[in-house]
Short mmCIF file of all heavy atoms in Angstrom, two decimals:
data_model
loop_
_atom_site.label_atom_id
_atom_site.label_comp_id
_atom_site.label_asym_id
_atom_site.label_seq_id
_atom_site.Cartn_x
_atom_site.Cartn_y
_atom_site.Cartn_z
N VAL C 40 -3.27 71.14 39.72
CA VAL C 40 -4.50 70.33 40.19
C VAL C 40 -5.81 71.09 39.75
O VAL C 40 -6.60 70.48 39.18
CB VAL C 40 -4.44 70.15 41.62
CG1 VAL C 40 -5.85 69.60 42.11
CG2 VAL C 40 -3.36 69.21 42.11
N GLU C 41 -5.79 72.38 40.04
CA GLU C 41 -7.04 73.11 39.77
C GLU C 41 -7.32 73.12 38.26
O GLU C 41 -8.44 72.78 37.85
CB GLU C 41 -6.83 74.55 40.24
CG GLU C 41 -8.09 75.40 40.21
CD GLU C 41 -7.85 76.88 40.35
OE1 GLU C 41 -6.84 77.22 40.93
OE2 GLU C 41 -8.67 77.66 39.85
N VAL C 42 -6.37 73.38 37.43
CA VAL C 42 -6.61 73.35 35.95
C VAL C 42 -6.95 72.11 35.46
O VAL C 42 -7.87 71.91 34.63
CB VAL C 42 -5.34 74.02 35.24
CG1 VAL C 42 -5.64 74.03 33.68
CG2 VAL C 42 -5.10 75.44 35.74
N SER C 43 -6.21 71.00 35.96
CA SER C 43 -6.40 69.63 35.44
C SER C 43 -7.89 69.29 35.77
O SER C 43 -8.59 68.55 35.02
CB SER C 43 -5.44 68.66 35.92
OG SER C 43 -5.73 68.36 37.33
N GLU C 44 -8.40 69.62 37.04
CA GLU C 44 -9.66 69.21 37.38
C GLU C 44 -10.66 69.97 36.58
O GLU C 44 -11.61 69.45 36.07
CB GLU C 44 -9.86 69.46 38.83
CG GLU C 44 -9.21 68.38 39.69
CD GLU C 44 -9.42 68.55 41.23
OE1 GLU C 44 -10.05 69.61 41.53
OE2 GLU C 44 -8.98 67.66 41.97
N LYS C 45 -10.45 71.28 36.48
CA LYS C 45 -11.44 72.12 35.72
C LYS C 45 -11.64 71.65 34.33
O LYS C 45 -12.78 71.67 33.81
CB LYS C 45 -11.02 73.56 35.80
CG LYS C 45 -12.17 74.50 35.41
CD LYS C 45 -11.75 75.92 35.15
CE LYS C 45 -12.79 76.59 34.21
NZ LYS C 45 -12.26 77.44 33.27
N LEU C 46 -10.51 71.32 33.70
CA LEU C 46 -10.56 71.00 32.36
C LEU C 46 -10.55 69.53 32.00
O LEU C 46 -10.60 68.99 30.84
CB LEU C 46 -9.46 71.69 31.49
CG LEU C 46 -9.46 73.23 31.51
CD1 LEU C 46 -8.23 73.83 30.97
CD2 LEU C 46 -10.69 73.67 30.79
N GLY C 47 -10.57 68.76 33.09
CA GLY C 47 -10.70 67.30 32.93
C GLY C 47 -9.44 66.72 32.14
O GLY C 47 -9.53 65.88 31.35
N ALA C 48 -8.17 67.30 32.52
CA ALA C 48 -7.08 66.92 31.88
C ALA C 48 -6.02 66.22 32.89
O ALA C 48 -6.09 66.45 34.11
CB ALA C 48 -6.38 68.04 31.26
N ILE C 49 -5.22 65.29 32.35
CA ILE C 49 -4.16 64.71 33.18
C ILE C 49 -3.23 65.72 33.87
O ILE C 49 -3.00 66.76 33.18
CB ILE C 49 -3.36 63.75 32.36
CG1 ILE C 49 -4.30 62.57 31.84
CG2 ILE C 49 -2.07 63.16 33.09
CD1 ILE C 49 -3.66 61.79 30.74
N ARG C 50 -2.78 65.47 35.10
CA ARG C 50 -1.83 66.34 35.65
C ARG C 50 -0.48 65.44 35.62
O ARG C 50 -0.41 64.41 36.26
CB ARG C 50 -2.18 66.70 37.07
CG ARG C 50 -1.08 67.64 37.76
CD ARG C 50 -1.59 68.22 39.01
NE ARG C 50 -1.78 67.04 40.02
CZ ARG C 50 -0.75 66.60 40.77
NH1 ARG C 50 0.41 67.02 40.56
NH2 ARG C 50 -0.97 65.62 41.57
N PHE C 51 0.52 66.02 35.05
CA PHE C 51 1.87 65.37 35.03
C PHE C 51 2.63 65.85 36.26
O PHE C 51 2.52 66.93 36.72
CB PHE C 51 2.59 65.63 33.69
CG PHE C 51 2.07 65.02 32.55
CD1 PHE C 51 1.20 65.64 31.63
CD2 PHE C 51 2.34 63.71 32.23
CE1 PHE C 51 0.68 65.03 30.55
CE2 PHE C 51 1.86 63.07 31.08
CZ PHE C 51 1.00 63.77 30.23
N ASP C 52 3.53 64.90 36.62
CA ASP C 52 4.37 65.25 37.90
C ASP C 52 5.70 65.87 37.59
O ASP C 52 6.34 66.43 38.36
CB ASP C 52 4.58 63.89 38.73
CG ASP C 52 3.36 63.55 39.43
OD1 ASP C 52 2.64 64.38 39.95
OD2 ASP C 52 3.10 62.29 39.63
N SER C 53 6.10 65.72 36.25
CA SER C 53 7.33 66.32 35.97
C SER C 53 7.36 66.60 34.47
O SER C 53 6.50 66.08 33.61
CB SER C 53 8.49 65.33 36.19
OG SER C 53 8.35 64.22 35.33
N VAL C 54 8.28 67.50 34.05
CA VAL C 54 8.46 67.73 32.62
C VAL C 54 8.84 66.40 31.89
O VAL C 54 8.39 66.11 30.80
CB VAL C 54 9.53 68.87 32.45
CG1 VAL C 54 9.99 68.86 30.97
CG2 VAL C 54 9.11 70.22 32.94
N GLU C 55 9.75 65.69 32.56
CA GLU C 55 10.20 64.46 31.96
C GLU C 55 8.96 63.55 31.65
O GLU C 55 8.97 62.90 30.57
CB GLU C 55 11.13 63.66 32.94
CG GLU C 55 12.46 64.44 33.09
CD GLU C 55 12.43 65.79 33.84
OE1 GLU C 55 11.49 65.89 34.68
OE2 GLU C 55 13.17 66.62 33.48
N ALA C 56 8.12 63.47 32.57
CA ALA C 56 6.90 62.64 32.30
C ALA C 56 6.14 63.17 31.13
O ALA C 56 5.60 62.28 30.34
CB ALA C 56 5.96 62.62 33.56
N VAL C 57 6.00 64.42 31.01
CA VAL C 57 5.28 64.98 29.83
C VAL C 57 5.94 64.60 28.60
O VAL C 57 5.36 64.07 27.62
CB VAL C 57 5.19 66.50 29.91
CG1 VAL C 57 4.60 67.07 28.61
CG2 VAL C 57 4.43 66.98 31.12
N LEU C 58 7.25 64.80 28.56
CA LEU C 58 8.01 64.54 27.25
C LEU C 58 8.11 63.09 26.93
O LEU C 58 8.26 62.78 25.75
CB LEU C 58 9.35 65.19 27.41
CG LEU C 58 9.36 66.81 27.55
CD1 LEU C 58 10.74 67.25 27.65
CD2 LEU C 58 8.65 67.41 26.40
N ALA C 59 7.94 62.23 27.99
CA ALA C 59 8.10 60.86 27.70
C ALA C 59 6.80 60.16 27.32
O ALA C 59 6.69 59.06 26.79
CB ALA C 59 8.56 60.13 29.03
N SER C 60 5.68 60.91 27.54
CA SER C 60 4.39 60.28 27.30
C SER C 60 4.09 60.15 25.81
O SER C 60 4.20 61.24 25.03
CB SER C 60 3.31 61.15 27.88
OG SER C 60 2.03 60.87 27.43
N PRO C 61 3.60 59.03 25.37
CA PRO C 61 3.27 58.85 23.91
C PRO C 61 1.95 59.51 23.67
O PRO C 61 1.60 59.61 22.47
CB PRO C 61 3.11 57.31 23.86
CG PRO C 61 2.86 56.83 25.18
CD PRO C 61 3.48 57.84 26.14
N ASP C 62 1.21 59.92 24.64
CA ASP C 62 -0.04 60.62 24.48
C ASP C 62 0.11 62.12 24.41
O ASP C 62 -0.92 62.86 24.38
CB ASP C 62 -0.97 60.27 25.60
CG ASP C 62 -1.41 58.80 25.50
OD1 ASP C 62 -1.46 58.30 24.32
OD2 ASP C 62 -1.74 58.19 26.56
N VAL C 63 1.30 62.53 24.29
CA VAL C 63 1.67 64.00 24.13
C VAL C 63 2.27 64.17 22.79
O VAL C 63 3.35 63.63 22.54
CB VAL C 63 2.50 64.51 25.29
CG1 VAL C 63 2.94 66.01 24.94
CG2 VAL C 63 1.78 64.50 26.57
N ASP C 64 1.48 64.96 21.89
CA ASP C 64 2.10 65.18 20.57
C ASP C 64 2.94 66.39 20.51
O ASP C 64 3.72 66.50 19.65
CB ASP C 64 0.89 65.39 19.57
CG ASP C 64 0.06 64.13 19.37
OD1 ASP C 64 0.54 63.02 19.53
OD2 ASP C 64 -1.15 64.30 19.01
#
Side-chain angles (χ1 to χ4, degrees):
Chain C
V40 169
E41 190 193 335
V42 176
S43 78
E44 284 181 358
K45 191 189 161 224
L46 297 173
I49 293 164
R50 181 172 66 82
F51 288 97
D52 284 327
S53 67
V54 167
E55 289 67 30
V57 173
L58 297 178
S60 168
D62 289 333
V63 170
D64 296 332

